[in-house]
Amino acid sequence: RATASPPPHAFSHLLTPSHAFSSLLRYAESRLTGYGISTFNLTRLTPHDVAYGHLGATYGFQSVVAYVPSLELGVAIGTNIETDHQSQPSETFCRVYNTVKALVLGKQVPTCTFTPGYYHSGCKCD
């Protein structure tokens, strides 16, 4: 049984071969897009911070689990609402992430708007 020697990190409690752990971190902390080791790079949801996690959707349910290392923020959102755009988890994450970031940095909580869409959705905050 091999164990990784990771830095303090969200996954530091896992027992895994070191090459698998380092591959996960290298991918998750990159600016690459796509899918790898069950982890998406979700930086598109947090344009100024690295974020990674997993999105999910099936008939009538959508979810997102995301971790933002710079804020030590982990968020899990699940819905049981079905729409054409499946945007409820991403919209909720947009608002939670931007609210928490503002509070952590001692700034005013922004007003955010979310543009729904499956591939080109987006969060903009004032």
Side-chain angles (χ1 to χ4, degrees), residues 52-114:
Y52 48 92
H54 192 86
L55 302 167
T58 190
Y59 303 104
F61 301 94
Q62 296 100 43
S63 63
V64 61
V65 174
Y67 178 65
V68 182
S70 64
L71 299 174
E72 295 185 12
L73 172 66
V75 178
I77 299 165
T79 69
N80 62 348
I81 301 169
E82 186 169 354
T83 64
D84 291 338
H85 298 293
Q86 302 177 353
S87 60
Q88 299 90 341
S90 295
E91 180 174 3
T92 303
F93 179 79
C94 159
R95 295 172 193 277
V96 169
Y97 158 74
N98 285 291
T99 298
V100 169
K101 183 172 183 175
L103 294 172
V104 166
L105 298 176
K107 296 183 178 181
Q108 182 175 344
V109 174
T111 301
C112 299
T113 56
F114 187 82

Side-chain angles (χ1 to χ4, degrees), residues 1-4 11-17:
R1 166 172 124 199
T3 59
F11 298 118
S12 63
H13 65 282
L14 296 177
L15 296 176
T16 183

Side-chain angles (χ1 to χ4, degrees), residues 28-76:
E29 292 177 350
S30 74
R31 291 263 181 201
L32 299 174
T33 59
Y35 185 82
I37 314 178
S38 299
T39 302
F40 289 99
N41 181 320
L42 297 178
T43 301
R44 69 181 179 82
L45 299 177
T46 59
H48 304 289
D49 293 300
V50 171
Y52 48 92
H54 192 86
L55 302 167
T58 190
Y59 303 104
F61 301 94
Q62 296 100 43
S63 63
V64 61
V65 174
Y67 178 65
V68 182
S70 64
L71 299 174
E72 295 185 12
L73 172 66
V75 178

